[in-house]
PDB file of all heavy atoms in Angstrom:
ATOM      1  N   ALA A   1     304.075 153.591  11.937  1.00 98.00           N
ATOM      2  CA  ALA A   1     303.860 153.614  10.493  1.00 98.00           C
ATOM      3  C   ALA A   1     303.267 154.959  10.107  1.00 98.00           C
ATOM      4  O   ALA A   1     302.709 155.690  10.932  1.00 98.00           O
ATOM      5  CB  ALA A   1     302.941 152.481  10.062  1.00 98.00           C
ATOM      6  N   CYS A   2     303.383 155.289   8.810  1.00 98.00           N
ATOM      7  CA  CYS A   2     302.875 156.571   8.333  1.00 98.00           C
ATOM      8  C   CYS A   2     302.146 156.379   7.011  1.00 98.00           C
ATOM      9  O   CYS A   2     302.325 155.378   6.308  1.00 98.00           O
ATOM     10  CB  CYS A   2     304.004 157.581   8.169  1.00 98.00           C
ATOM     11  SG  CYS A   2     305.302 157.090   7.006  1.00 98.00           S
ATOM     12  N   CYS A   3     301.305 157.344   6.672  1.00 98.00           N
ATOM     13  CA  CYS A   3     300.595 157.357   5.397  1.00 98.00           C
ATOM     14  C   CYS A   3     300.177 158.789   5.101  1.00 98.00           C
ATOM     15  O   CYS A   3     300.308 159.681   5.949  1.00 98.00           O
ATOM     16  CB  CYS A   3     299.385 156.429   5.418  1.00 98.00           C
ATOM     17  SG  CYS A   3     298.034 156.978   6.495  1.00 98.00           S
ATOM     18  N   GLN A   4     299.667 159.019   3.906  1.00 97.00           N
ATOM     19  CA  GLN A   4     299.190 160.334   3.519  1.00 97.00           C
ATOM     20  C   GLN A   4     297.763 160.251   3.014  1.00 97.00           C
ATOM     21  O   GLN A   4     297.347 159.240   2.440  1.00 97.00           O
ATOM     22  CB  GLN A   4     300.089 160.938   2.434  1.00 97.00           C
ATOM     23  CG  GLN A   4     301.473 161.315   2.926  1.00 97.00           C
ATOM     24  CD  GLN A   4     302.343 161.899   1.835  1.00 97.00           C
ATOM     25  OE1 GLN A   4     302.923 161.185   1.036  1.00 97.00           O
ATOM     26  NE2 GLN A   4     302.418 163.221   1.798  1.00 97.00           N
ATOM     27  N   GLY A   5     297.006 161.326   3.229  1.00 98.00           N
ATOM     28  CA  GLY A   5     295.630 161.394   2.763  1.00 98.00           C
ATOM     29  C   GLY A   5     295.004 162.706   3.202  1.00 98.00           C
ATOM     30  O   GLY A   5     295.605 163.469   3.966  1.00 98.00           O
ATOM     31  N   PRO A   6     293.778 162.988   2.742  1.00 98.00           N
ATOM     32  CA  PRO A   6     293.158 164.278   3.025  1.00 98.00           C
ATOM     33  C   PRO A   6     292.345 164.298   4.318  1.00 98.00           C
ATOM     34  O   PRO A   6     291.747 163.307   4.719  1.00 98.00           O
ATOM     35  CB  PRO A   6     292.233 164.478   1.817  1.00 98.00           C
ATOM     36  CG  PRO A   6     291.828 163.079   1.442  1.00 98.00           C
ATOM     37  CD  PRO A   6     293.017 162.204   1.744  1.00 98.00           C
ATOM     38  N   ILE A   7     292.356 165.443   4.971  1.00 97.00           N
ATOM     39  CA  ILE A   7     291.397 165.782   6.021  1.00 97.00           C
ATOM     40  C   ILE A   7     290.718 167.076   5.586  1.00 97.00           C
ATOM     41  O   ILE A   7     291.371 168.121   5.503  1.00 97.00           O
ATOM     42  CB  ILE A   7     292.081 165.970   7.384  1.00 97.00           C
ATOM     43  CG1 ILE A   7     292.564 164.627   7.942  1.00 97.00           C
ATOM     44  CG2 ILE A   7     291.123 166.629   8.383  1.00 97.00           C
ATOM     45  CD1 ILE A   7     293.211 164.720   9.310  1.00 97.00           C
ATOM     46  N   PHE A   8     289.440 166.985   5.241  1.00 95.00           N
ATOM     47  CA  PHE A   8     288.689 168.144   4.752  1.00 95.00           C
ATOM     48  C   PHE A   8     289.449 168.864   3.634  1.00 95.00           C
ATOM     49  O   PHE A   8     289.541 170.087   3.610  1.00 95.00           O
ATOM     50  CB  PHE A   8     288.372 169.105   5.890  1.00 95.00           C
ATOM     51  CG  PHE A   8     287.046 168.834   6.561  1.00 95.00           C
ATOM     52  CD1 PHE A   8     286.819 167.630   7.232  1.00 95.00           C
ATOM     53  CD2 PHE A   8     286.022 169.752   6.524  1.00 95.00           C
ATOM     54  CE1 PHE A   8     285.606 167.376   7.848  1.00 95.00           C
ATOM     55  CE2 PHE A   8     284.794 169.501   7.127  1.00 95.00           C
ATOM     56  CZ  PHE A   8     284.586 168.304   7.791  1.00 95.00           C
ATOM     57  N   GLY A   9     290.005 168.090   2.707  1.00 94.00           N
ATOM     58  CA  GLY A   9     290.699 168.662   1.567  1.00 94.00           C
ATOM     59  C   GLY A   9     292.136 169.070   1.821  1.00 94.00           C
ATOM     60  O   GLY A   9     292.817 169.508   0.891  1.00 94.00           O
ATOM     61  N   VAL A  10     292.615 168.928   3.044  1.00 97.00           N
ATOM     62  CA  VAL A  10     293.991 169.301   3.375  1.00 97.00           C
ATOM     63  C   VAL A  10     294.858 168.042   3.339  1.00 97.00           C
ATOM     64  O   VAL A  10     294.624 167.096   4.106  1.00 97.00           O
ATOM     65  CB  VAL A  10     294.080 169.948   4.769  1.00 97.00           C
ATOM     66  CG1 VAL A  10     295.528 170.276   5.113  1.00 97.00           C
ATOM     67  CG2 VAL A  10     293.223 171.215   4.827  1.00 97.00           C
ATOM     68  N   ASN A  11     295.849 168.015   2.442  1.00 97.00           N
ATOM     69  CA  ASN A  11     296.737 166.859   2.374  1.00 97.00           C
ATOM     70  C   ASN A  11     297.495 166.727   3.693  1.00 97.00           C
ATOM     71  O   ASN A  11     298.135 167.677   4.156  1.00 97.00           O
ATOM     72  CB  ASN A  11     297.714 167.009   1.216  1.00 97.00           C
ATOM     73  CG  ASN A  11     298.537 165.754   1.002  1.00 97.00           C
ATOM     74  OD1 ASN A  11     298.018 164.640   1.101  1.00 97.00           O
ATOM     75  ND2 ASN A  11     299.816 165.918   0.728  1.00 97.00           N
ATOM     76  N   THR A  12     297.427 165.546   4.283  1.00 98.00           N
ATOM     77  CA  THR A  12     297.929 165.321   5.637  1.00 98.00           C
ATOM     78  C   THR A  12     298.868 164.134   5.662  1.00 98.00           C
ATOM     79  O   THR A  12     298.581 163.092   5.066  1.00 98.00           O
ATOM     80  CB  THR A  12     296.753 165.062   6.603  1.00 98.00           C
ATOM     81  OG1 THR A  12     295.813 166.142   6.514  1.00 98.00           O
ATOM     82  CG2 THR A  12     297.241 164.923   8.043  1.00 98.00           C
ATOM     83  N   LEU A  13     299.975 164.294   6.355  1.00 98.00           N
ATOM     84  CA  LEU A  13     300.873 163.182   6.645  1.00 98.00           C
ATOM     85  C   LEU A  13     300.539 162.683   8.047  1.00 98.00           C
ATOM     86  O   LEU A  13     300.639 163.431   9.020  1.00 98.00           O
ATOM     87  CB  LEU A  13     302.328 163.646   6.560  1.00 98.00           C
ATOM     88  CG  LEU A  13     303.407 162.646   6.982  1.00 98.00           C
ATOM     89  CD1 LEU A  13     303.342 161.371   6.156  1.00 98.00           C
ATOM     90  CD2 LEU A  13     304.791 163.288   6.886  1.00 98.00           C
ATOM     91  N   PHE A  14     300.118 161.414   8.130  1.00 98.00           N
ATOM     92  CA  PHE A  14     299.741 160.795   9.400  1.00 98.00           C
ATOM     93  C   PHE A  14     300.896 159.941   9.921  1.00 98.00           C
ATOM     94  O   PHE A  14     301.478 159.153   9.172  1.00 98.00           O
ATOM     95  CB  PHE A  14     298.542 159.859   9.226  1.00 98.00           C
ATOM     96  CG  PHE A  14     297.274 160.493   8.746  1.00 98.00           C
ATOM     97  CD1 PHE A  14     297.069 160.746   7.389  1.00 98.00           C
ATOM     98  CD2 PHE A  14     296.256 160.813   9.633  1.00 98.00           C
ATOM     99  CE1 PHE A  14     295.883 161.297   6.933  1.00 98.00           C
ATOM    100  CE2 PHE A  14     295.062 161.370   9.185  1.00 98.00           C
ATOM    101  CZ  PHE A  14     294.883 161.617   7.834  1.00 98.00           C
ATOM    102  N   GLY A  15     301.187 160.060  11.198  1.00 98.00           N
ATOM    103  CA  GLY A  15     302.117 159.149  11.859  1.00 98.00           C
ATOM    104  C   GLY A  15     301.442 158.563  13.083  1.00 98.00           C
ATOM    105  O   GLY A  15     300.866 159.304  13.891  1.00 98.00           O
ATOM    106  N   ARG A  16     301.467 157.238  13.200  1.00 98.00           N
ATOM    107  CA  ARG A  16     300.818 156.607  14.348  1.00 98.00           C
ATOM    108  C   ARG A  16     301.873 156.179  15.363  1.00 98.00           C
ATOM    109  O   ARG A  16     302.869 155.539  15.028  1.00 98.00           O
ATOM    110  CB  ARG A  16     300.011 155.383  13.919  1.00 98.00           C
ATOM    111  CG  ARG A  16     299.194 154.808  15.074  1.00 98.00           C
ATOM    112  CD  ARG A  16     298.408 153.574  14.686  1.00 98.00           C
ATOM    113  NE  ARG A  16     297.413 153.307  15.709  1.00 98.00           N
ATOM    114  CZ  ARG A  16     296.114 153.154  15.499  1.00 98.00           C
ATOM    115  NH1 ARG A  16     295.636 153.246  14.266  1.00 98.00           N
ATOM    116  NH2 ARG A  16     295.285 152.928  16.484  1.00 98.00           N
ATOM    117  N   PHE A  17     301.603 156.547  16.633  1.00 97.00           N
ATOM    118  CA  PHE A  17     302.467 156.170  17.740  1.00 97.00           C
ATOM    119  C   PHE A  17     301.619 155.465  18.801  1.00 97.00           C
ATOM    120  O   PHE A  17     300.409 155.347  18.653  1.00 97.00           O
ATOM    121  CB  PHE A  17     303.176 157.404  18.294  1.00 97.00           C
ATOM    122  CG  PHE A  17     304.071 158.067  17.278  1.00 97.00           C
ATOM    123  CD1 PHE A  17     303.568 159.035  16.413  1.00 97.00           C
ATOM    124  CD2 PHE A  17     305.398 157.706  17.160  1.00 97.00           C
ATOM    125  CE1 PHE A  17     304.374 159.630  15.459  1.00 97.00           C
ATOM    126  CE2 PHE A  17     306.217 158.294  16.207  1.00 97.00           C
ATOM    127  CZ  PHE A  17     305.708 159.254  15.357  1.00 97.00           C
ATOM    128  N   SER A  18     302.232 155.026  19.859  1.00 93.00           N
ATOM    129  CA  SER A  18     301.515 154.194  20.830  1.00 93.00           C
ATOM    130  C   SER A  18     300.369 154.919  21.507  1.00 93.00           C
ATOM    131  O   SER A  18     299.366 154.296  21.870  1.00 93.00           O
ATOM    132  CB  SER A  18     302.494 153.659  21.879  1.00 93.00           C
ATOM    133  OG  SER A  18     303.105 154.738  22.581  1.00 93.00           O
ATOM    134  N   ASP A  19     300.493 156.228  21.683  1.00 90.00           N
ATOM    135  CA  ASP A  19     299.482 156.966  22.436  1.00 90.00           C
ATOM    136  C   ASP A  19     298.911 158.147  21.664  1.00 90.00           C
ATOM    137  O   ASP A  19     298.211 158.974  22.242  1.00 90.00           O
ATOM    138  CB  ASP A  19     300.088 157.484  23.745  1.00 90.00           C
ATOM    139  CG  ASP A  19     301.135 158.572  23.497  1.00 90.00           C
ATOM    140  OD1 ASP A  19     301.787 158.518  22.434  1.00 90.00           O
ATOM    141  OD2 ASP A  19     301.284 159.468  24.345  1.00 90.00           O
ATOM    142  N   ARG A  20     299.221 158.237  20.376  1.00 95.00           N
ATOM    143  CA  ARG A  20     298.846 159.442  19.641  1.00 95.00           C
ATOM    144  C   ARG A  20     298.931 159.227  18.143  1.00 95.00           C
ATOM    145  O   ARG A  20     299.515 158.257  17.667  1.00 95.00           O
ATOM    146  CB  ARG A  20     299.819 160.570  19.976  1.00 95.00           C
ATOM    147  CG  ARG A  20     301.162 160.367  19.243  1.00 95.00           C
ATOM    148  CD  ARG A  20     302.218 161.326  19.638  1.00 95.00           C
ATOM    149  NE  ARG A  20     302.576 161.101  21.013  1.00 95.00           N
ATOM    150  CZ  ARG A  20     303.071 162.030  21.807  1.00 95.00           C
ATOM    151  NH1 ARG A  20     303.280 163.237  21.345  1.00 95.00           N
ATOM    152  NH2 ARG A  20     303.369 161.774  23.048  1.00 95.00           N
ATOM    153  N   PHE A  21     298.361 160.219  17.431  1.00 98.00           N
ATOM    154  CA  PHE A  21     298.674 160.422  16.030  1.00 98.00           C
ATOM    155  C   PHE A  21     299.407 161.753  15.922  1.00 98.00           C
ATOM    156  O   PHE A  21     299.042 162.718  16.598  1.00 98.00           O
ATOM    157  CB  PHE A  21     297.409 160.484  15.175  1.00 98.00           C
ATOM    158  CG  PHE A  21     296.760 159.157  14.943  1.00 98.00           C
ATOM    159  CD1 PHE A  21     295.854 158.645  15.860  1.00 98.00           C
ATOM    160  CD2 PHE A  21     297.041 158.407  13.804  1.00 98.00           C
ATOM    161  CE1 PHE A  21     295.234 157.422  15.650  1.00 98.00           C
ATOM    162  CE2 PHE A  21     296.444 157.185  13.592  1.00 98.00           C
ATOM    163  CZ  PHE A  21     295.533 156.687  14.517  1.00 98.00           C
ATOM    164  N   GLU A  22     300.438 161.803  15.110  1.00 98.00           N
ATOM    165  CA  GLU A  22     301.032 163.079  14.760  1.00 98.00           C
ATOM    166  C   GLU A  22     300.624 163.404  13.329  1.00 98.00           C
ATOM    167  O   GLU A  22     300.652 162.538  12.444  1.00 98.00           O
ATOM    168  CB  GLU A  22     302.543 163.053  14.951  1.00 98.00           C
ATOM    169  CG  GLU A  22     302.892 162.940  16.431  1.00 98.00           C
ATOM    170  CD  GLU A  22     304.337 163.275  16.764  1.00 98.00           C
ATOM    171  OE1 GLU A  22     305.110 163.604  15.838  1.00 98.00           O
ATOM    172  OE2 GLU A  22     304.684 163.210  17.960  1.00 98.00           O
ATOM    173  N   LEU A  23     300.206 164.640  13.118  1.00 98.00           N
ATOM    174  CA  LEU A  23     299.607 165.090  11.870  1.00 98.00           C
ATOM    175  C   LEU A  23     300.406 166.264  11.352  1.00 98.00           C
ATOM    176  O   LEU A  23     300.655 167.229  12.080  1.00 98.00           O
ATOM    177  CB  LEU A  23     298.148 165.496  12.099  1.00 98.00           C
ATOM    178  CG  LEU A  23     297.299 164.467  12.872  1.00 98.00           C
ATOM    179  CD1 LEU A  23     295.997 165.099  13.346  1.00 98.00           C
ATOM    180  CD2 LEU A  23     297.017 163.241  12.010  1.00 98.00           C
ATOM    181  N   HIS A  24     300.789 166.203  10.090  1.00 98.00           N
ATOM    182  CA  HIS A  24     301.668 167.212   9.511  1.00 98.00           C
ATOM    183  C   HIS A  24     301.018 167.759   8.238  1.00 98.00           C
ATOM    184  O   HIS A  24     300.665 166.980   7.336  1.00 98.00           O
ATOM    185  CB  HIS A  24     303.033 166.608   9.201  1.00 98.00           C
ATOM    186  CG  HIS A  24     303.607 165.802  10.328  1.00 98.00           C
ATOM    187  ND1 HIS A  24     304.255 166.378  11.396  1.00 98.00           N
ATOM    188  CD2 HIS A  24     303.598 164.466  10.562  1.00 98.00           C
ATOM    189  CE1 HIS A  24     304.641 165.426  12.237  1.00 98.00           C
ATOM    190  NE2 HIS A  24     304.252 164.262  11.750  1.00 98.00           N
ATOM    191  N   VAL A  25     300.867 169.077   8.170  1.00 98.00           N
ATOM    192  CA  VAL A  25     300.211 169.715   7.029  1.00 98.00           C
ATOM    193  C   VAL A  25     300.981 170.967   6.620  1.00 98.00           C
ATOM    194  O   VAL A  25     301.820 171.475   7.375  1.00 98.00           O
ATOM    195  CB  VAL A  25     298.748 170.091   7.357  1.00 98.00           C
ATOM    196  CG1 VAL A  25     297.928 168.867   7.698  1.00 98.00           C
ATOM    197  CG2 VAL A  25     298.675 171.119   8.489  1.00 98.00           C
ATOM    198  N   CYS A  26     300.658 171.483   5.446  1.00 96.00           N
ATOM    199  CA  CYS A  26     301.220 172.751   4.993  1.00 96.00           C
ATOM    200  C   CYS A  26     300.785 173.858   5.953  1.00 96.00           C
ATOM    201  O   CYS A  26     299.622 173.929   6.370  1.00 96.00           O
ATOM    202  CB  CYS A  26     300.746 173.041   3.580  1.00 96.00           C
ATOM    203  SG  CYS A  26     301.260 174.645   2.936  1.00 96.00           S
ATOM    204  N   SER A  27     301.710 174.735   6.302  1.00 95.00           N
ATOM    205  CA  SER A  27     301.414 175.769   7.299  1.00 95.00           C
ATOM    206  C   SER A  27     300.311 176.724   6.858  1.00 95.00           C
ATOM    207  O   SER A  27     299.642 177.330   7.699  1.00 95.00           O
ATOM    208  CB  SER A  27     302.690 176.555   7.621  1.00 95.00           C
ATOM    209  OG  SER A  27     303.581 175.748   8.368  1.00 95.00           O
ATOM    210  N   ASP A  28     300.096 176.857   5.564  1.00 95.00           N
ATOM    211  CA  ASP A  28     299.018 177.736   5.081  1.00 95.00           C
ATOM    212  C   ASP A  28     297.649 177.268   5.570  1.00 95.00           C
ATOM    213  O   ASP A  28     296.713 178.067   5.645  1.00 95.00           O
ATOM    214  CB  ASP A  28     299.016 177.787   3.548  1.00 95.00           C
ATOM    215  CG  ASP A  28     300.222 178.524   2.990  1.00 95.00           C
ATOM    216  OD1 ASP A  28     300.904 179.211   3.774  1.00 95.00           O
ATOM    217  OD2 ASP A  28     300.480 178.407   1.775  1.00 95.00           O
ATOM    218  N   SER A  29     297.519 175.985   5.865  1.00 96.00           N
ATOM    219  CA  SER A  29     296.219 175.423   6.275  1.00 96.00           C
ATOM    220  C   SER A  29     296.116 175.227   7.784  1.00 96.00           C
ATOM    221  O   SER A  29     295.149 174.641   8.264  1.00 96.00           O
ATOM    222  CB  SER A  29     296.004 174.061   5.588  1.00 96.00           C
ATOM    223  OG  SER A  29     296.092 174.168   4.186  1.00 96.00           O
ATOM    224  N   ALA A  30     297.086 175.712   8.539  1.00 97.00           N
ATOM    225  CA  ALA A  30     297.216 175.347   9.944  1.00 97.00           C
ATOM    226  C   ALA A  30     295.997 175.703  10.788  1.00 97.00           C
ATOM    227  O   ALA A  30     295.472 174.854  11.525  1.00 97.00           O
ATOM    228  CB  ALA A  30     298.469 175.997  10.534  1.00 97.00           C
ATOM    229  N   GLU A  31     295.531 176.953  10.710  1.00 97.00           N
ATOM    230  CA  GLU A  31     294.437 177.359  11.602  1.00 97.00           C
ATOM    231  C   GLU A  31     293.136 176.660  11.238  1.00 97.00           C
ATOM    232  O   GLU A  31     292.386 176.225  12.112  1.00 97.00           O
ATOM    233  CB  GLU A  31     294.270 178.884  11.586  1.00 97.00           C
ATOM    234  CG  GLU A  31     293.337 179.369  12.686  1.00 97.00           C
ATOM    235  CD  GLU A  31     293.522 180.839  13.040  1.00 97.00           C
ATOM    236  OE1 GLU A  31     294.576 181.419  12.678  1.00 97.00           O
ATOM    237  OE2 GLU A  31     292.617 181.390  13.686  1.00 97.00           O
ATOM    238  N   PHE A  32     292.864 176.539   9.937  1.00 98.00           N
ATOM    239  CA  PHE A  32     291.683 175.787   9.504  1.00 98.00           C
ATOM    240  C   PHE A  32     291.752 174.349  10.006  1.00 98.00           C
ATOM    241  O   PHE A  32     290.774 173.802  10.526  1.00 98.00           O
ATOM    242  CB  PHE A  32     291.582 175.812   7.973  1.00 98.00           C
ATOM    243  CG  PHE A  32     290.571 174.859   7.401  1.00 98.00           C
ATOM    244  CD1 PHE A  32     289.224 175.148   7.453  1.00 98.00           C
ATOM    245  CD2 PHE A  32     290.979 173.658   6.818  1.00 98.00           C
ATOM    246  CE1 PHE A  32     288.282 174.259   6.933  1.00 98.00           C
ATOM    247  CE2 PHE A  32     290.054 172.773   6.298  1.00 98.00           C
ATOM    248  CZ  PHE A  32     288.702 173.071   6.350  1.00 98.00           C
ATOM    249  N   PHE A  33     292.910 173.739   9.865  1.00 98.00           N
ATOM    250  CA  PHE A  33     293.107 172.347  10.267  1.00 98.00           C
ATOM    251  C   PHE A  33     292.904 172.184  11.770  1.00 98.00           C
ATOM    252  O   PHE A  33     292.247 171.239  12.232  1.00 98.00           O
ATOM    253  CB  PHE A  33     294.523 171.929   9.860  1.00 98.00           C
ATOM    254  CG  PHE A  33     294.794 170.456   9.940  1.00 98.00           C
ATOM    255  CD1 PHE A  33     294.303 169.593   8.987  1.00 98.00           C
ATOM    256  CD2 PHE A  33     295.573 169.939  10.975  1.00 98.00           C
ATOM    257  CE1 PHE A  33     294.569 168.223   9.042  1.00 98.00           C
ATOM    258  CE2 PHE A  33     295.840 168.575  11.038  1.00 98.00           C
ATOM    259  CZ  PHE A  33     295.343 167.727  10.077  1.00 98.00           C
ATOM    260  N   TRP A  34     293.458 173.095  12.556  1.00 98.00           N
ATOM    261  CA  TRP A  34     293.284 173.076  14.020  1.00 98.00           C
ATOM    262  C   TRP A  34     291.793 173.151  14.369  1.00 98.00           C
ATOM    263  O   TRP A  34     291.303 172.370  15.202  1.00 98.00           O
ATOM    264  CB  TRP A  34     294.041 174.241  14.633  1.00 98.00           C
ATOM    265  CG  TRP A  34     293.906 174.406  16.120  1.00 98.00           C
ATOM    266  CD1 TRP A  34     292.886 175.014  16.786  1.00 98.00           C
ATOM    267  CD2 TRP A  34     294.823 173.939  17.129  1.00 98.00           C
ATOM    268  NE1 TRP A  34     293.109 174.976  18.141  1.00 98.00           N
ATOM    269  CE2 TRP A  34     294.286 174.321  18.385  1.00 98.00           C
ATOM    270  CE3 TRP A  34     296.044 173.264  17.093  1.00 98.00           C
ATOM    271  CZ2 TRP A  34     294.922 174.043  19.582  1.00 98.00           C
ATOM    272  CZ3 TRP A  34     296.680 172.990  18.302  1.00 98.00           C
ATOM    273  CH2 TRP A  34     296.134 173.363  19.523  1.00 98.00           C
ATOM    274  N   ASP A  35     291.065 174.071  13.744  1.00 98.00           N
ATOM    275  CA  ASP A  35     289.645 174.231  14.049  1.00 98.00           C
ATOM    276  C   ASP A  35     288.846 172.985  13.682  1.00 98.00           C
ATOM    277  O   ASP A  35     287.926 172.587  14.416  1.00 98.00           O
ATOM    278  CB  ASP A  35     289.088 175.447  13.306  1.00 98.00           C
ATOM    279  CG  ASP A  35     289.593 176.763  13.870  1.00 98.00           C
ATOM    280  OD1 ASP A  35     290.070 176.784  15.017  1.00 98.00           O
ATOM    281  OD2 ASP A  35     289.506 177.784  13.144  1.00 98.00           O
ATOM    282  N   VAL A  36     289.167 172.357  12.554  1.00 98.00           N
ATOM    283  CA  VAL A  36     288.487 171.130  12.146  1.00 98.00           C
ATOM    284  C   VAL A  36     288.656 170.044  13.197  1.00 98.00           C
ATOM    285  O   VAL A  36     287.692 169.371  13.589  1.00 98.00           O
ATOM    286  CB  VAL A  36     289.015 170.638  10.770  1.00 98.00           C
ATOM    287  CG1 VAL A  36     288.597 169.192  10.505  1.00 98.00           C
ATOM    288  CG2 VAL A  36     288.512 171.537   9.653  1.00 98.00           C
ATOM    289  N   LEU A  37     289.869 169.875  13.688  1.00 98.00           N
ATOM    290  CA  LEU A  37     290.125 168.844  14.687  1.00 98.00           C
ATOM    291  C   LEU A  37     289.452 169.161  16.020  1.00 98.00           C
ATOM    292  O   LEU A  37     288.878 168.264  16.662  1.00 98.00           O
ATOM    293  CB  LEU A  37     291.634 168.679  14.895  1.00 98.00           C
ATOM    294  CG  LEU A  37     292.409 168.096  13.707  1.00 98.00           C
ATOM    295  CD1 LEU A  37     293.908 168.128  13.990  1.00 98.00           C
ATOM    296  CD2 LEU A  37     291.961 166.676  13.393  1.00 98.00           C
ATOM    297  N   MET A  38     289.503 170.426  16.435  1.00 97.00           N
ATOM    298  CA  MET A  38     288.858 170.787  17.693  1.00 97.00           C
ATOM    299  C   MET A  38     287.344 170.576  17.617  1.00 97.00           C
ATOM    300  O   MET A  38     286.724 170.087  18.579  1.00 97.00           O
ATOM    301  CB  MET A  38     289.185 172.235  18.063  1.00 97.00           C
ATOM    302  CG  MET A  38     290.639 172.480  18.470  1.00 97.00           C
ATOM    303  SD  MET A  38     291.188 171.487  19.887  1.00 97.00           S
ATOM    304  CE  MET A  38     290.022 172.028  21.149  1.00 97.00           C
ATOM    305  N   ASP A  39     286.742 170.926  16.494  1.00 98.00           N
ATOM    306  CA  ASP A  39     285.299 170.707  16.328  1.00 98.00           C
ATOM    307  C   ASP A  39     284.970 169.218  16.351  1.00 98.00           C
ATOM    308  O   ASP A  39     284.003 168.791  16.998  1.00 98.00           O
ATOM    309  CB  ASP A  39     284.821 171.324  15.011  1.00 98.00           C
ATOM    310  CG  ASP A  39     284.783 172.842  15.047  1.00 98.00           C
ATOM    311  OD1 ASP A  39     284.862 173.414  16.152  1.00 98.00           O
ATOM    312  OD2 ASP A  39     284.685 173.459  13.961  1.00 98.00           O
ATOM    313  N   ALA A  40     285.773 168.416  15.647  1.00 98.00           N
ATOM    314  CA  ALA A  40     285.522 166.977  15.603  1.00 98.00           C
ATOM    315  C   ALA A  40     285.696 166.342  16.977  1.00 98.00           C
ATOM    316  O   ALA A  40     285.016 165.368  17.315  1.00 98.00           O
ATOM    317  CB  ALA A  40     286.465 166.318  14.596  1.00 98.00           C
ATOM    318  N   GLY A  41     286.598 166.881  17.780  1.00 98.00           N
ATOM    319  CA  GLY A  41     286.880 166.293  19.079  1.00 98.00           C
ATOM    320  C   GLY A  41     286.022 166.795  20.217  1.00 98.00           C
ATOM    321  O   GLY A  41     286.153 166.309  21.348  1.00 98.00           O
TER     322      GLY A  41
END
């Protein structure tokens, strides 16, 4: 299943799979988004 919503103000398309989430965002936000996830993890 999929849904949309923000991560730190970045509109994100979420897809849930058996072993992962796939996250899709505008490429302009890519490096910021990567850093947010790495810090959270």
Side-chain angles (χ1 to χ4, degrees):
C2 60
C3 69
Q4 291 180 279
I7 289 182
F8 269 63
V10 178
N11 187 40
T12 305
L13 174 58
F14 299 82
R16 187 181 195 126
F17 298 88
S18 61
D19 68 330
R20 76 187 66 207
F21 285 86
E22 292 195 0
L23 311 166
H24 312 279
V25 299
C26 175
S27 289
D28 291 346
S29 304
E31 191 159 343
F32 169 77
F33 192 76
W34 177 278
D35 289 341
V36 165
L37 292 174
M38 290 302 301
D39 288 346

